[in-house]
Amino acid sequence: MDSLYNPSGVEERWQQTWESEGLYSAEPGSGRETFVVAHPPPNVTGALHTGHALQISLADTLVRWHRMRGFETAFLTGYDHAGISTQNAVEKHLASQGKSRQELGREAFVELVWEWLHEYGRTITDQFRRMGASMDYARERFTMDDAYVRAVMRYFVHLHGKGWIYRANRIINWCPFHETSLSDLELVHEEVDDALTYVRYPFADDGGDGVTLATARPATILGDVAVAVHPDDDRWRHAVGREVVVPFVERRVPVVADERVDPEFGTGALKVTPGHDPMDFEIGLAHDLPELTVIGPDGRMNEAAGELAGLSQEEADRRILDWVREREQLVKREAYRHSVALCERCKSRIEPLISLQWWCRMDELKRPAVEALREGRVRYHPESQHRYAVDSLDNAPDWNISRQIWWGHQLPVWECPDGHLTVQEDTPDACSECGSTELERSEDVLDTWFSSALWPFAILGWPESTPELEAWYPGTLNTTAREIIRLWENRMIFSGLELMGGIPFRDVIIHTTVLAADGRRMSKSLGTGLDPLDLVAEHGADATRYGLMKMASSQDVRFNEKVIQEGRRLANKLWNVSRLILSNSAGATPEARPRDAEERWILARLDATRAELERSWSAFDFAPAANELYHLTFDDFCDWYAEAIKPRFRDGEDADVRATALAALERLLKLLHPVMPHVTEEIWSQLPAREQRLILSPWPEADSSHAGDLHALDRVQEAAALFRRSGAAVELDQDQRRIFDAVVRPDRVRADGDPTAEIERLRKEIARAEGMLGNERFVSRAPEDVVEAEREKLARYRRELEALGG
RNA sequence: GGGCGCAUAGCUCAGCGGGAGAGCGCCCGCUUCACACGCGGGAGGUCCCUGGUUCGAUCCCAGGUGCGCCCACCA
């Protein structure tokens, strides 16, 4: 064994061994209690990022812990076809060759996507493997697998049959590049410098000045069907009920009063363009106004724009501004900074358009899920995220589930020439209404999240009845990032309740968002991203897992490579103390036969740490567990226990000390294994009398037999601290003296410290404690144990002061 | 505009009603036969501000300030 632990090579070797020996595989129906994690499927073209790495570190720790505890663990994974994202990647590739998907046509394009995936897709699970994720890779599923597609079709038909899926014209977010609708959740918002234009709309009857209003998008003036003001706005009360003339198109439109208008903005008057603005769309509905669409799906002015048809919006802006300027209706233009919606994939500016789309009604679907959350049958952690999840589900609007892209699950909807719709899983022979055989399938595909919503049971074979589905539904927990709650978690919950009749998992861990070191969001486009595989290459997967776990504390945390280095030092420390014990234990077998204080003490400390780990992992409270392991290894195990027994190793024949040391090391390895699986398995394999791999060896039982020894070294540790600070020695019994000499080695330490500062410190402490104990109100009102603890402290300070001769 | 979170040592963060902590960085001393990715010691802090509750507040409550993330239809 080298004196420097090098994880490279060791980790890969164990990853291959564990998997090839089938130790990652789960067996349905084994009869053991199950621990099931359906891991979030990464995008099929995706690469590992810090979020994945953190997620795996947390989930795999829990999985490995439960595997050791004898649970049948199923850690399941696979890929998401990721509609827009994947299509976008392939389109970029096409563009680099000067081609477009339109030139290829739909069929050839989809074929190209499959080829692309064959070549570039499905690499991320190898990166999961490299993190040490103990997933059942043989059960990988893809949302485009035939069986999965069947599940998606079944769900659509099911919801349609209940009347919860319908088609309607609504205003939606349109991406002019992808030429598809997008849900609100697929947008990003960005601040832009723009101009706000104040335009006067004259009254149609020529009396007075008319109404001046402000707009950021003059081109949409062509689609104006009204002007709206707030009903309580005295400035415009005279205008309500009259008509104004829309510039350029010279259309007469009414002035209406509506509470949605913000009187504080601009002049307090709003041009109403239901065809191109969501709020205007609502105002239009309320006032029974027509919906006029003047911008087409390509983002340019359409036929309804008359002489401006075919122009870009910028050109149309200019033409309209010229028109109002000539007629002195351009009041002013001012700089205006505001946020605009962009497509999260291509960053195109989103066009609100009225469009015929498919919707999923949420009111009844969400109700049982809200109930399950309110009753705590599914719990989000931390609690603050639970409240957010419930609120956002409770307020979820109907869900636009159709997309006009090409890569995805095509809707199981067929239309005949008379416009009748037939909805069924497989291609129908004839129209269900008129019997026509001239059917055309809808070209729309489903929102990617519609299929993701089925993940926890579709990967188990639903709608078929399978042993996996029987054994592993509901699962145990799910881990994800905050922004995925509405997109995915809530939808899995209502889908599971609807189709399976029960929740998909009990707990959802919303993990920390790891920010870049400078506090900005990690993102490829900002250049603030970080490749976890670089960390693994440099420090090892064990160190990376440890570091990420220790960082996973509050809601947002800055990435800190120092913590990963700390993990590497921990692995190295463990490696070296193992070398010490192994090299001194030839012929011994692990068995706890403690005789002296330090032996009983380390067994007590190991058991206390076991309990603490169980507590924090059960509460999904990861950072304290990492801390505890570090402290146990460095301070307790190495600096005290190992130092204390070293001379006894050298003394020779003490078989009990060696057997106990091996047993203690075994327990330490077990406690560390869920977090640092590789280095612990490597050391484990070198211990004598190995019957099974550490990954499968049982988690230590609770062992209270040494609980009384948890404080066995207190006096020695006090004495050591005092001696090292000041050179003073307190009285110790013979056994305590032996440990003190072994650990402190007063023969080698220069004990010439100046006791003055220490005396000063102790006098202050004594004064403080005496003050408290002399306060009658403290003694009578504080809890008895607090008062008692204070008395003990005072006694100790006096003892130490005496040793210093003060 | 709403929700959530965070303000503690130079940095990154624990702690959380009774003596201010860790890792890193810095200074000093150790080539101690497991480990210099180590061992020992040290310097360094009005625990953001103002009130309140309490025998006692870094910790609980109220208000404020600053920062971050998420969400949102101010044209």
Side-chain angles (χ1 to χ4, degrees):
Chain A
M1 289 174 86
D2 272 345
S3 67
L4 194 62
Y5 172 64
N6 180 8
S8 165
V10 173
E11 294 187 336
E12 292 91 330
R13 178 158 46 76
W14 283 112
Q15 286 153 12
Q16 285 154 17
T17 303
W18 288 323
E19 190 176 347
S20 66
E21 289 181 353
L23 308 182
Y24 287 169
S25 327
E27 187 197 335
S30 65
R32 293 193 285 173
E33 198 174 341
T34 58
F35 187 84
V36 180
V37 181
H39 198 71
N43 290 359
V44 62
T45 58
L48 193 74
H49 61 238
T50 314
H52 295 127
L54 173 64
Q55 225 163 54
I56 282 175
S57 303
L58 304 183
D60 192 60
T61 292
L62 295 176
V63 166
R64 284 178 181 271
W65 176 42
H66 281 86
R67 191 181 286 116
M68 292 174 80
R69 294 170 79 199
F71 285 68
E72 185 67 49
T73 53
F75 193 9
L76 305 168
T77 189
Y79 305 98
D80 194 305
H81 67 284
I84 294 177
S85 173
T86 302
Q87 175 159 330
N88 204 44
V90 178
E91 283 201 73
K92 268 189 197 161
H93 166 72
L94 271 180
S96 73
Q97 303 176 342
K99 287 190 256 176
S100 73
R101 81 181 138 94
Q102 286 82 0
E103 290 169 44
L104 256 67
R106 182 166 186 155
E107 204 172 319
F109 179 79
V110 169
E111 208 166 297
L112 178 67
V113 174
W114 279 105
E115 283 172 28
W116 167 271
L117 293 184
H118 191 70
E119 190 159 353
Y120 302 104
R122 304 184 187 228
T123 57
I124 191 170
T125 49
D126 283 336
Q127 303 173 329
F128 286 2
R129 285 180 170 92
R130 190 60 192 85
M131 288 297 299
S134 58
M135 293 165 162
D136 191 346
Y137 297 98
R139 293 182 194 278
E140 259 171 36
R141 293 291 180 271
F142 181 33
T143 54
M144 293 297 271
D145 289 345
D146 290 346
Y148 204 110
V149 174
R150 164 72 52 189
V152 174
M153 297 300 116
R154 178 73 56 95
Y155 190 28
F156 185 97
V157 172
H158 172 87
L159 291 174
H160 183 264
K162 292 186 99 165
W164 295 351
I165 282 181
Y166 62 94
R167 195 162 69 146
N169 256 312
R170 296 257 183 93
I171 193 152
I172 47 90
N173 307 301
W174 185 262
C175 170
F177 174 76
H178 291 112
E179 299 195 323
T180 181
S181 68
L182 296 173
S183 79
D184 292 346
L185 307 178
E186 291 164 304
L187 312 182
V188 290
H189 296 267
E190 194 176 282
E191 292 272 310
V192 294
D193 287 310
D194 223 329
L196 194 60
T197 306
Y198 290 73
V199 183
R200 185 170 59 83
Y201 286 36
F203 285 125
D205 58 16
D206 266 352
D209 286 346
V211 177
T212 296
L213 49 77
T215 178
R217 302 184 60 194
T220 64
I221 285 175
L222 303 189
D224 286 355
V225 296
V227 167
V229 299
H230 194 277
D232 301 332
D233 192 336
D234 289 336
R235 293 169 301 174
W236 297 118
R237 203 175 292 279
H238 68 282
V240 175
R242 296 174 71 178
E243 283 189 321
V244 292
V245 180
V246 177
F248 201 86
V249 288
E250 305 195 275
R251 181 164 55 237
R252 294 163 67 116
V253 299
V255 178
V256 300
D258 194 289
E259 300 209 323
R260 278 164 278 227
V261 179
D262 175 7
E264 302 294 316
F265 188 90
T267 64
L270 168 73
K271 61 193 267 316
V272 181
T273 322
H276 298 289
D277 183 275
M279 186 171 85
D280 294 11
F281 182 78
E282 283 179 30
I283 293 175
L285 286 178
H287 297 271
D288 207 21
L289 298 166
E291 291 155 6
L292 212 52
T293 301
V294 295
I295 297 165
D298 56 358
R300 304 179 80 84
M301 306 308 290
N302 70 7
E303 321 74 57
E307 61 180 281
L308 302 187
L311 296 187
S312 72
Q313 291 182 49
E314 291 72 26
E315 291 169 78
D317 282 348
R318 274 194 292 280
R319 295 281 293 272
I320 292 165
L321 285 175
D322 287 345
W323 193 96
V324 290
R325 194 178 288 116
E326 279 165 23
R327 287 159 184 79
E328 297 185 339
Q329 284 171 233
L330 178 62
V331 178
K332 62 174 173 176
R333 296 197 87 197
E334 57 189 32
Y336 181 50
R337 190 171 170 79
H338 64 141
S339 94
V340 297
L342 307 178
C343 169
E344 70 172 339
R345 293 296 162 192
C346 68
K347 304 291 188 280
S348 302
R349 192 143 164 183
I350 290 301
E351 200 61 57
L353 285 185
I354 294 173
S355 171
L356 189 60
Q357 300 284 343
W358 290 86
W359 302 81
C360 180
R361 250 175 67 192
M362 290 304 303
D363 49 3
E364 292 186 64
L365 196 47
K366 73 191 179 190
R367 196 174 301 143
V370 170
E371 198 177 306
L373 287 166
R374 291 224 163 101
E375 289 172 359
R377 283 184 280 136
V378 180
R379 289 182 308 258
Y380 281 82
H381 307 269
E383 178 66 26
S384 57
Q385 300 306 325
H386 188 81
R387 290 195 301 274
Y388 168 69
V390 180
D391 287 349
S392 54
L393 182 58
D394 203 20
N395 296 318
D398 283 6
W399 174 17
N400 172 205
I401 53 173
S402 50
R403 298 290 181 274
Q404 288 68 52
I405 55 173
W406 288 352
W407 172 242
H409 299 109
Q410 208 170 340
L411 268 60
V413 174
W414 284 263
E415 187 167 358
C416 76
D418 289 337
H420 303 139
L421 299 179
T422 302
V423 176
Q424 66 179 58
E425 280 181 40
D426 300 300
T427 309
D429 297 326
C431 174
S432 57
E433 267 183 65
C434 66
S436 166
T437 54
E438 292 175 55
L439 295 174
E440 287 211 30
R441 186 167 187 175
S442 165
E443 297 205 334
D444 286 0
V445 299
L446 288 158
D447 178 6
T448 297
W449 296 105
F450 187 87
S451 50
S452 313
L454 310 179
W455 187 250
F457 43 98
I459 57 171
L460 302 178
W462 185 89
E464 302 306 316
S465 166
T466 64
E468 287 84 355
L469 193 63
E470 175 69 26
W472 298 334
Y473 194 93
T476 311
L477 61 83
N478 206 271
T479 57
T480 199
R482 207 154 64 246
E483 66 266 24
I484 308 299
I485 290 175
R486 302 194 304 167
L487 288 166
W488 190 45
E489 298 292 340
N490 279 344
R491 287 169 178 168
M492 284 191 285
I493 296 170
F494 68 64
S495 302
L497 283 161
E498 175 63 23
L499 295 175
M500 296 294 298
I503 54 165
F505 33 68
R506 296 193 309 266
D507 296 291
V508 184
I509 301 172
I510 303 301
H511 64 246
T512 301
T513 302
V514 181
L515 305 172
D518 60 8
R520 287 186 297 168
R521 190 173 173 70
M522 277 200 189
S523 104
K524 248 189 244 170
S525 52
L526 288 174
T528 51
L530 187 73
D531 187 348
L533 294 176
D534 289 345
L535 297 170
V536 170
E538 194 176 348
H539 306 291
D542 286 336
T544 303
R545 292 163 61 110
Y546 170 90
L548 289 171
M549 178 165 299
K550 191 160 169 175
M551 275 179 243
S553 51
S554 60
Q555 187 168 278
D556 305 295
V557 70
R558 295 178 176 210
F559 179 78
N560 178 11
E561 191 158 349
K562 292 282 164 49
V563 187
I564 300 197
Q565 286 165 5
E566 184 179 309
R568 195 177 60 181
R569 290 203 320 278
L570 177 57
N572 192 56
K573 190 72 174 171
L574 183 68
W575 178 255
N576 276 292
V577 79
S578 302
R579 289 173 62 217
L580 171 74
I581 292 175
L582 285 168
S583 63
N584 282 288
S585 304
T589 48
E591 189 186 342
R593 298 200 296 264
R595 268 196 346 243
D596 291 321
E598 74 273 26
E599 297 178 295
R600 297 192 307 271
W601 173 81
I602 194 62
L603 294 173
R605 282 292 306 136
L606 284 160
D607 187 62
T609 305
R610 172 203 55 75
E612 179 56 24
L613 292 174
E614 289 175 4
R615 187 209 61 76
S616 45
W617 285 337
S618 298
F620 311 124
D621 197 7
F622 295 94
N627 256 333
E628 191 70 19
L629 287 167
Y630 186 91
H631 171 66
L632 174 73
T633 306
F634 269 82
D635 301 337
D636 296 340
F637 200 92
C638 294
D639 290 350
W640 279 93
Y641 172 65
E643 292 299 337
I645 60 170
K646 250 197 235 175
R648 302 171 70 193
F649 275 153
R650 290 201 280 278
D651 288 347
E653 305 302 310
D654 196 336
D656 287 347
V657 175
R658 299 187 207 160
T660 303
L662 285 171
L665 178 60
E666 255 189 13
R667 289 185 200 181
L668 180 64
L669 293 173
K670 286 184 177 186
L671 298 183
L672 280 158
H673 181 261
V675 181
M676 308 187 95
H678 309 89
V679 66
T680 49
E681 186 80 86
E682 175 69 9
I683 296 167
W684 180 266
S685 71
Q686 302 185 33
L687 292 175
R690 294 304 84 188
E691 281 169 16
Q692 60 183 342
R693 302 277 182 221
L694 178 55
I695 184 177
L696 289 184
S697 72
W699 180 251
E701 295 287 327
D703 173 16
S704 60
S705 55
H706 304 289
D709 298 305
L710 208 47
H711 297 285
L713 296 195
D714 284 1
R715 283 297 286 274
V716 192
Q717 293 181 333
E718 263 174 45
L722 187 68
F723 178 81
R724 284 164 170 164
R725 277 205 298 269
S726 63
V730 292
E731 269 189 45
L732 296 171
D733 68 27
Q734 195 185 344
D735 206 31
Q736 289 170 335
R737 185 86 234 165
R738 176 184 59 76
I739 297 169
F740 181 92
D741 288 346
V743 174
V744 178
R745 308 192 62 180
D747 53 318
R748 307 190 62 104
V749 174
R750 231 184 24 242
D752 59 357
D754 173 12
T756 318
E758 186 64 11
I759 289 171
E760 176 71 9
R761 186 185 74 85
L762 286 169
R763 288 209 166 119
K764 269 168 73 180
E765 292 296 350
I766 287 168
R768 187 194 55 77
E770 284 176 342
M772 276 176 85
L773 290 164
N775 180 350
E776 189 276 328
R777 307 224 290 172
F778 169 69
V779 178
S780 62
R781 298 199 192 191
E784 184 52 39
D785 57 323
V786 172
V787 178
E788 187 52 38
E790 210 54 46
R791 290 203 179 97
E792 280 171 21
K793 275 189 263 176
L794 181 58
R796 192 179 90 221
Y797 297 143
R798 284 178 170 155
R799 196 163 65 229
E800 292 182 4
L801 188 61
E802 194 178 342
L804 281 165

